[in-house]
Amino acid sequence: MATPLPIPSKISRDSSKIVKFRVISANFGDSYTQEAPNGLNPKIDTWGIKWVGLTRTERLTVESVLDYVGSWGLLSWTPCYETTIKYFKLDVSSGYTTKHIAGNNVFHISCKLVEHFDVNP
């Protein structure tokens, strides 16, 4: 079961998407190579997102959800300027970052989400 991404209204529209393609290749030894898409979903989106202007309570909500799903659970989210719900996992190598904006009692949280394809989200 996927957990909805918390407080999507506070996600910056400046979020960025990186698209990568999975390819399978065969080398035949005579310098001839064939390549093809790898699997049913060879195109994978990775989003760098940032929640901006969070209050202390909102910060705790976002951190609680990210801690709950970690890098093993699924998050559901309709990315910026898209119309379809997609499923993501928190990037294992980067986790998430919380930043306190000095003097304002405001917080920003950023993370990378890697698209995940699951039969039973």
Side-chain angles (χ1 to χ4, degrees):
M1 188 81 179
T3 302
L5 198 65
I7 316 176
S9 61
K10 293 276 187 141
I11 295 175
S12 170
R13 293 292 182 186
D14 290 335
S15 298
S16 61
K17 175 172 81 168
I18 297 170
V19 178
K20 293 185 180 179
F21 298 94
R22 293 184 306 153
V23 175
I24 189 167
S25 63
N27 295 317
F28 294 99
D30 58 356
S31 73
Y32 178 73
T33 302
Q34 277 189 328
E35 295 179 334
N38 186 357
L40 295 174
N41 300 298
K43 179 182 164 223
I44 299 173
D45 295 346
T46 299
W47 279 88
I49 63 169
K50 181 189 243 184
W51 286 268
V52 294
L54 298 174
T55 64
R56 215 175 267 282
T57 302
E58 290 170 332
R59 174 188 62 91
L60 291 172
T61 299
V62 172
E63 288 179 342
S64 294
V65 169
L66 295 178
D67 288 343
Y68 173 73
V69 298
S71 292
W72 52 86
L74 288 176
L75 291 161
S76 61
W77 175 52
T78 303
C80 308
Y81 309 110
E82 295 188 18
T83 57
T84 305
I85 293 174
K86 293 184 176 181
Y87 300 96
F88 297 89
K89 286 191 174 187
L90 195 59
D91 183 59
V92 172
S93 62
S94 57
Y96 66 87
T97 304
T98 302
K99 182 177 180 182
H100 179 251
I101 306 304
N104 292 332
N105 208 19
V106 171
F107 301 87
H108 298 329
I109 297 177
S110 58
C111 67
K112 279 186 188 176
L113 299 176
V114 179
E115 189 172 13
H116 184 77
F117 302 97
D118 198 317
V119 176
N120 297 309

